[in-house]
């Protein structure tokens, strides 16, 4: 299996690593506490070309592939899960569907500004009564002749408070079920559109997760994405890609936790010995490392499958299922090795444990991933 | 304004280890980076170039692997880069190195068909810590020099250097061309972009040897041209010879401390 870890990927990884250690890591605890969206770092990442990694240069992208993008999310997430998901939601959930399903005009209008970071993107599918059962969309879009009128609300939208462009799903024909759902590009300034309350979350606290409110929101005709009634299909395909991003975030969180814990157990002494000298510590960390490397293979496999234009839904689902459960498991076990200190905010491990949990929930819960995988296996 | 930045690739570590037998630096397993003061020289150079136009060219003397360091400068704004590398240059001390660099600067001017207005160096390399190469280049080229620059400003072709000293800073103007060595700037060097990194990766780095430096005197290069002799290089042994007085009353402990200091003839 070829993960294309050539010098180009290594170079990008080195570059992101340097940025993550110098700029992202020092802010992680602070933005977790203040919930302040790290806009300054997002702008710096934009300048480095990290907000449009897998898109062609003609649309302002960096012209690299999914693997390079995935490794970037992984590297950022080692030090800050919030920063990782900001890039993932922007890239996988807003830029990608516009690139994949948008008209040439939409691509030319939105992608260069999204890739350059002048605009930040978000994706809006989830509603108060349409979570895992995303087909139960209650936001409606009505054709008003020369424009669309959207009414309804979305919740748990990552990047919402900082975003300029939203990829929004809404019901255009209720009688058609999921085939009556369509996709729209909504700009922050559109009449009748507003950002609702920001969630006070357990983890990834600075990712500006908010409600979106549509009150007779006017959306130009040309902002319908792709074909009428194909929105649900587009959303599901988009989430396949998004899951690789979240899997990479989970992978990064686990790697970051192991890195911190390895340092800690070599310093902390109990019973006259370093914690690292106890066999329990050695075996715990060895098992965690092995599990994390196994998750990494799944994540990179899914990224490469996407790059090779293979069917990758099941690979993305397996990567996310395994990597996210591993992240929760690893951060919990690492915290245990820290003991009481790990439970305090003086150390990063409790934050990592809180950040890890969401990876088992958003962009499809672990249960949804298992539905995808078993469906692919023919176990029905 | 055409600018030359002289840069050195150094081991990325604060804890340099020395081989106890050969007395040379242990480089195995230590990643190499661009000397941090040189990254500031490069950054201020790129800013001057962006403001007033011209070309910025990076020169580095070192082994083949230093091409990577040259490329990393290309990724953050240098227009071209040269590696100066030859067996005859190996073992050069600062005097020989600065001589070779000054010869290379002239040769590159010839090759590129330009004259450098500014030659920028980091104040010193983090491995050797001599801070000699920059000033010596100025001497070899018979150019004015300003060391310890905190910032370099340009107004209508005039250069103004903010120079650090203990109690504050001077503002110094200079005729051009000039050599300036740079300390830590008030701003950080920029990060590369994915595109600039990829473009730099694909570039060929030309290597200059003595064959490309027509007027070079080889007796002034390498070990032969180096008056400096390293007598001994060693890692200082960290000894714990402190005395801990435990389980004593404070007054007794104080008396004991005085006795110890007295015995050691420190009082």
């Amino acid at each position: 299996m070829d993960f294309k870890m050539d010098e180009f990927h290594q170079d990008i990884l080195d570059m992101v690593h340097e940025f993550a250690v110098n700029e992202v890591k020092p802010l992680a605890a602070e933005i977790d506490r203040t919930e302040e969206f790290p806009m300054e770092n997002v702008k710096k990442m934009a300048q480095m070309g990290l907000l449009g990694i897998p898109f062609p240069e003609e649309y302002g992208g960096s012209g690299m592939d999914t693997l390079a993008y995935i490794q970037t999310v992984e590297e950022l997430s080692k030090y800050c899960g919030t920063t990782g998901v900001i890039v993932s939601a922007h890239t996988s959930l807003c830029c990608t569907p516009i690139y994949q399903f948008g008209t040439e005009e939409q691509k030319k209008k939105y992608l260069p500004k999204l890739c350059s970071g002048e605009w930040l993107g978000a994706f809006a599918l989830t509603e108060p009564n349409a979570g895992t059962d995303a087909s139960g969309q209650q936001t409606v879009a009505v054709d008003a002749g020369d424009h669309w009128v959207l009414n309804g609300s979305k919740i748990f939208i990552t990047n919402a408070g900082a975003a300029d462009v939203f990829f929004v799903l809404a019901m255009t024909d209720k009688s058609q079920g999921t085939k009556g759902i369509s996709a729209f590009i909504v700009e922050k300034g559109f009449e009748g559109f507003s950002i609702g309350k920001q969630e006070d979350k357990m983890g990834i606290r600075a990712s500006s997760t908010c409600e979106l409110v549509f009150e007779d929101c006017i959306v130009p005709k040309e902002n319908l994405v792709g074909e009428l009634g194909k929105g649900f299909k587009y959303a599901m395909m988009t989430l396949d890609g998004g899951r690789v991003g979240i899997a990479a975030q989970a992978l990064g969180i686990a790697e970051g936790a192991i890195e911190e814990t390895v340092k800690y157990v070599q310093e902390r002494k109990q019973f006259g010995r370093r914690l690292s000298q106890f066999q329990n510590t050695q075996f715990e960390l060895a098992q965690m490392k092995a599990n994390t490397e196994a998750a990494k293979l799944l994540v990179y496999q899914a990224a490469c499958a996407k790059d090779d234009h293979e069917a990758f839904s099941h690979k993305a689902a397996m990567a996310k299922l395994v990597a996210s459960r591993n992240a929760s498991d690893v951060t919990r076990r690492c915290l245990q090795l820290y003991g009481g200190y790990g439970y305090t905010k003086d150390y990063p491990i409790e934050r990592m444990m809180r950040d890890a949990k969401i990876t088992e929930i958003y962009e499809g819960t672990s249960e949804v991933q298992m539905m995808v995988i078993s469906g692919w296996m023919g176990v029905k | 304004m055409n600018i030359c930045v002289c840069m050195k690739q150094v081991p990325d570590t604060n804890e340099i280890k020395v081989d106890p037998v050969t007395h040379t630096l242990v480089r195995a397993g230590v990643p190499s980076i661009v000397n941090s003061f040189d990254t500031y020289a490069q950054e201020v150079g790129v800013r001057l170039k962006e403001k007033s136009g011209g070309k910025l060219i990076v020169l580095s003397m070192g082994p083949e692997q230093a091409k990577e360091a040259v490329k990393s400068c290309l990724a953050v704004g240098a227009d071209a880069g040269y590696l100066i590398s030859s067996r005859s240059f190996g073992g050069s001390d600062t005097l020989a190195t600065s001589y070779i660099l000054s010869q290379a600067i002239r040769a590159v001017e010839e090759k590129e068909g330009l004259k450098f207005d500014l030659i920028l160096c980091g104040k010193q390399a983090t491995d050797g810590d001599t801070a000699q190469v920059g000033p010596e280049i100025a001497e070899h080229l018979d150019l004015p020099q300003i060391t310890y620059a905190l910032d370099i400003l340009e107004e209508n072709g005039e250069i103004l250097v903010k120079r650090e000293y203990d109690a504050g800073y001077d503002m110094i103007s200079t005729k051009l061309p000039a050599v300036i060595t740079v300390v830590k700037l008030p701003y950080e060097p920029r990060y590369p972009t994915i595109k600039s990194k990829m473009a730099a990766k694909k570039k060929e780095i030309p290597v200059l040897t003595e064959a490309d430096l027509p007027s070079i005197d080889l007796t002034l290069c390498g070990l032969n041209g180096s008056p400096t002799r390293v007598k001994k290089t060693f890692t200082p042994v960290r000894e714990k010879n402190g005395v801990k007085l435990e389980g004593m009353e404070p007054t007794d402990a104080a008396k004991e401390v005085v006795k110890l200091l007295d015995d050691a003839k420190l009082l």
Side-chain angles (χ1 to χ4, degrees), chain A residues 50-55 66 69-70 73 84-102 110-111 114 119-126 155-160 163-169 183-186 204 207 209 212 225 231-247 249 306 312 316 320 358 361-364 369:
Chain A
L50 301 182
L51 295 190
I53 298 171
F55 307 106
T66 307
Y69 153 61
I70 284 307
V73 173
V85 77
I86 290 169
V87 174
S88 182
H90 167 86
T91 308
S92 283
L93 301 186
C94 186
C95 301
T96 299
I98 292 174
Y99 174 64
Q100 215 171 344
F101 311 117
Y110 292 102
L111 285 177
L114 285 165
W119 285 346
L120 195 71
F123 172 86
L125 172 68
T126 300
I155 53 162
F156 302 156
I157 308 307
T158 303
N159 287 353
D164 304 275
V165 179
F166 299 79
F167 189 87
V168 178
L169 285 306
F184 300 88
I185 301 171
V186 174
I204 55 161
S207 62
T209 305
L212 307 184
V225 180
F232 192 74
K233 188 180 162 203
Y234 298 157
M236 293 302 113
M237 288 170 73
T238 299
L239 285 173
D240 283 340
R243 280 165 194 162
V244 191
I246 299 307
Q249 183 203 16
K306 185 170 191 295
F312 74 101
K320 183 174 181 290
I358 188 60
I361 298 170
Y362 61 10
E363 298 197 33
Q369 310 311 321

Side-chain angles (χ1 to χ4, degrees), chain A residues 48-281:
Chain A
M48 294 169 72
L50 301 182
L51 295 190
I53 298 171
F55 307 106
E57 293 186 22
E58 58 174 308
Y59 297 116
S62 291
M64 283 301 295
D65 54 13
T66 307
L67 184 61
Y69 153 61
I70 284 307
Q71 290 175 329
T72 298
V73 173
E74 175 192 350
E75 194 62 28
L76 295 168
S77 303
K78 282 183 190 172
Y79 307 101
C80 175
T82 291
T83 308
V85 77
I86 290 169
V87 174
S88 182
H90 167 86
T91 308
S92 283
L93 301 186
C94 186
C95 301
T96 299
I98 292 174
Y99 174 64
Q100 215 171 344
F101 311 117
T103 61
E104 195 52 35
E105 288 71 27
Q106 288 167 345
K107 287 195 243 186
K108 285 203 172 115
K109 180 173 180 192
Y110 292 102
L111 285 177
K113 286 186 175 170
L114 285 165
C115 291
S116 72
E118 187 180 337
W119 285 346
L120 195 71
F123 172 86
L125 172 68
T126 300
E127 297 184 358
N129 294 312
T132 293
D133 182 12
S135 60
Q137 294 282 305
Q138 287 174 356
T139 297
V140 290
V142 176
D143 189 344
D146 62 345
H147 61 268
W148 292 93
V149 178
L150 268 63
N151 275 291
S153 69
K154 299 283 175 183
I155 53 162
F156 302 156
I157 308 307
T158 303
N159 287 353
D164 304 275
V165 179
F166 299 79
F167 189 87
V168 178
L169 285 306
M171 194 62 93
T172 43
D173 185 353
K174 219 165 203 165
S175 66
Q176 298 288 316
T178 56
K179 288 185 177 154
I181 296 171
S182 302
F184 300 88
I185 301 171
V186 174
E187 293 178 30
K188 181 172 67 174
F190 282 179
E191 191 187 327
F193 174 69
S194 59
I195 308 291
K197 90 170 171 64
Q198 179 172 312
E199 300 295 341
D200 182 2
K201 309 194 297 294
M202 170 180 171
I204 55 161
R205 287 175 51 77
S207 62
S208 189
T209 305
C210 306
E211 179 189 17
L212 307 184
V213 182
F214 303 88
E215 285 172 310
D216 292 331
C217 173
I218 310 286
V219 176
K221 270 273 145 118
E222 66 267 22
N223 278 30
L224 171 76
V225 180
E227 288 176 48
L228 196 65
K230 290 270 179 75
F232 192 74
K233 188 180 162 203
Y234 298 157
M236 293 302 113
M237 288 170 73
T238 299
L239 285 173
D240 283 340
R243 280 165 194 162
V244 191
I246 299 307
Q249 183 203 16
L251 175 62
I253 293 171
E255 290 174 306
I258 293 172
E259 192 178 305
E260 286 294 333
T261 308
V262 166
K263 264 192 295 180
Y264 182 79
V265 298
Q266 287 171 328
E267 289 161 7
R268 171 85 170 154
K269 282 187 179 167
Q270 288 287 276
F271 301 103
R273 287 195 291 168
R274 295 191 306 276
L275 294 190
S276 61
Q277 291 173 297
F278 291 91
Q279 196 173 50
N280 177 61
T281 309

Side-chain angles (χ1 to χ4, degrees), chain B residues 12-192:
Chain B
D12 180 11
T13 175
N14 294 319
E15 203 174 318
I16 292 177
K17 292 195 175 66
V18 177
D19 187 309
V21 180
T22 62
H23 300 306
T24 52
L25 292 179
V26 178
R27 289 181 185 272
V30 182
S32 296
I33 53 165
V34 176
N35 175 44
S36 62
F37 290 114
D38 300 346
T39 65
Y40 288 110
Q42 152 95 17
E43 177 63 31
V44 71
V46 173
R47 287 181 183 219
L48 289 168
K49 183 197 80 169
E50 283 170 349
K51 186 159 178 258
S52 59
K55 259 186 147 181
L56 186 144
I57 296 172
V58 175
L59 302 188
S60 186
M61 186 167 120
E64 179 75 14
Q65 63 152 349
K67 277 185 177 174
E68 288 307 310
V70 176
K71 285 183 178 180
S72 65
C73 293
L74 296 181
V76 284
D79 298 294
Y82 290 84
L83 177 70
I84 305 148
S85 194
S86 162
R87 274 177 188 274
S88 0
F89 302 158
S92 293
D93 67 359
T94 58
L95 185 66
T97 300
S98 57
Y99 171 68
I100 298 163
L101 280 169
S102 64
Q103 291 288 320
I105 287 166
R106 291 295 177 235
V108 168
E109 285 184 326
E110 189 84 10
K111 265 184 193 297
E112 298 273 339
L114 52 75
K115 286 280 175 199
F116 289 122
D117 302 292
L118 274 180
I119 293 153
L120 305 179
C121 305
K123 142 182 108 140
Q124 66 196 49
T126 51
D127 54 357
D129 270 342
T130 67
Q132 291 166 356
V133 172
E136 287 172 356
I137 290 173
E139 288 303 309
H140 287 301
L141 295 173
D142 196 21
L143 293 178
Q145 58 169 294
I146 302 169
T147 54
Y148 296 90
L150 274 172
D151 206 356
I152 306 172
L153 310 167
E154 190 264 353
E155 282 298 333
N156 309 319
E158 290 274 309
I159 284 291
L160 208 56
V161 178
K162 189 172 172 179
R163 183 178 66 179
E164 181 185 40
Y165 70 100
D166 286 348
Y169 61 86
D170 298 317
M171 295 301 289
I172 303 171
S173 63
T174 176
K175 279 195 299 187
L176 298 181
V179 176
I180 302 175
T181 77
V182 176
V183 297
K184 195 175 189 304
L185 299 172
Y187 36 82
E188 287 299 306
R190 67 197 60 195
Y191 287 98

Side-chain angles (χ1 to χ4, degrees), chain A residues 7-8 11 15 22-23 47-49 53 61, chain B residues 68 188 191-195 197-198 201-202:
Chain A
E7 285 183 31
F8 287 98
D11 267 19
M15 172 178 136
N22 292 337
E23 315 284 343
Q47 278 170 6
M48 294 169 72
I53 298 171
Chain B
E68 288 307 310
E188 287 299 306
Y191 287 98
T193 70
I194 289 184
K195 280 188 218 171
K197 192 97 184 165
M198 294 300 101
K201 186 94 197 159
K202 289 173 190 154

